[in-house]
């Protein structure tokens, strides 16, 4: 229905990544420290692996349905994985993320891997199989591209809180992101995290128009 309404405008499909879904299941909601999630991961690694593998299967099926319905790209959201150290990510999370990206690779649509507070994980997130790695506002794009390595595009990384400032401040910070993105193998302009709930929708509209105007070729 959406792709029919949008016409030539691309639609991005999305799904929660296995670790983030597992955290919501184990914690019962958002968590600051993810202590119960980590306790399961460390204390019963076989159960943890079984849980993430099952979630990877469900997520893969969900993304496949979206692609088959017309999604032009898909994004895997791992909003909470920044709570992990790189070694724990590689052992306990990365295999499930790899399974999801591999499952949709044959469709030929761009695959985006998104996280928050994942500066120390950027390289591993790229290894998991995404074509595009999301970068939040904490890591400059030039440092992010060094960590991710060649062959990947970056997505980001305007601080969403900037949208509460003046129009001039928003445009100045946007210019900084666009300038930092010049010369990258690929860049998708975006916020470095989701839209904050009380954001003025008009501020988002102005931001999109500004980026389109200043990146038109």
């Amino acid at each position: 229905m959406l792709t029919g309404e949008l016409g030539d405008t691309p639609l991005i499909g999305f799904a929660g990544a296995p670790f983030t879904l597992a955290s919501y299941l184990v914690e019962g909601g958002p968590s600051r420290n993810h202590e119960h999630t980590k306790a399961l991961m460390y204390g019963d690694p076989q159960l943890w692996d079984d849980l993430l593998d099952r979630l990877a299967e469900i997520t893969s099926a969900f993304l496949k349905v979206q692609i088959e319905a017309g999604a032009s790209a898909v994004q895997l959201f791992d909003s909470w994985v920044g709570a992990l150290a790189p070694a724990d990510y590689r052992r306990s999370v990365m295999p499930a993320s790899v399974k999801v990206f591999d499952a949709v690779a044959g469709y030929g649509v761009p695959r985006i891997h998104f996280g928050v507070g994942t500066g120390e994980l950027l390289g591993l997130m790229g290894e998991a199989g995404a074509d595009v790695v999301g970068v939040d506002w904490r890591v400059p794009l030039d440092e992010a591209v060094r960590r991710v390595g060649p062959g990947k595009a970056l997505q980001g990384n305007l601080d969403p809180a900037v949208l509460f400032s003046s129009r001039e401040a928003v445009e100045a910070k946007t210019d900084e992101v666009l300038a930092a993105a010049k010369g990258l193998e690929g860049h998708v302009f975006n916020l470095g995290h989701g839209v904050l709930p009380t954001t003025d929708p008009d501020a988002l509209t102005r931001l999109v128009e500004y980026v389109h105007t200043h990146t038109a070729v």
Side-chain angles (χ1 to χ4, degrees):
M1 291 171 64
L2 284 171
T3 54
E5 297 246 349
L6 289 171
D8 293 333
T9 301
L11 179 67
I12 301 176
F14 73 95
F19 176 82
T20 291
L21 294 176
S23 179
Y24 276 114
L25 286 170
V26 175
E27 303 289 344
S31 171
R32 179 181 294 275
N33 299 309
H34 307 279
E35 59 267 32
H36 301 297
T37 304
K38 291 183 178 182
L40 175 61
M41 184 179 73
Y42 296 136
D44 195 339
Q46 185 58 60
L47 177 59
W48 173 261
D49 290 348
D50 290 344
L51 174 61
L52 258 66
D53 188 67
R54 177 66 182 276
L55 291 171
E57 291 179 2
I58 295 170
T59 299
S60 298
F62 185 42
L63 290 178
K64 287 179 179 178
V65 168
Q66 293 181 64
I67 295 170
E68 290 168 3
S72 300
V74 289
Q75 184 161 253
L76 190 66
F77 278 75
D78 220 345
S79 302
W80 305 128
V81 78
L84 297 183
D88 291 330
Y89 176 86
R90 181 181 288 278
R91 196 215 74 82
S92 301
V93 175
M94 190 171 171
S97 296
V98 168
K99 183 173 182 176
V100 174
F101 285 123
D102 284 351
V104 298
Y107 288 93
V109 302
R111 298 161 296 167
I112 307 166
H113 204 354
F114 172 87
V116 180
T118 51
E120 299 303 318
L121 305 178
L122 289 175
L124 293 171
M125 291 173 68
E127 288 181 34
D131 305 297
V132 183
V133 178
V135 183
D136 70 21
W137 66 95
R138 299 173 181 87
V139 182
L141 291 178
D142 59 349
E143 174 60 18
V145 75
R146 185 190 69 80
R147 297 183 188 185
V148 172
K152 307 286 183 182
L154 300 183
Q155 175 180 278
N157 64 337
L158 185 71
D159 186 340
V162 170
L163 292 171
F164 290 85
S165 189
S166 66
R167 184 168 184 167
E168 292 74 19
V170 172
E171 292 177 356
K173 297 301 289 185
T174 301
D175 287 340
E176 291 179 12
V177 174
L178 295 176
K182 288 182 178 179
L184 297 182
E185 289 188 60
H187 177 244
V188 181
F189 183 91
N190 205 341
L191 302 180
H193 187 30
V195 177
L196 299 174
T198 55
T199 303
D200 180 0
D202 290 338
L204 287 169
T205 300
R206 290 193 297 269
L207 173 63
V208 172
E209 291 174 347
Y210 186 82
V211 171
H212 284 177
T213 299
H214 287 74
T215 58
V217 294

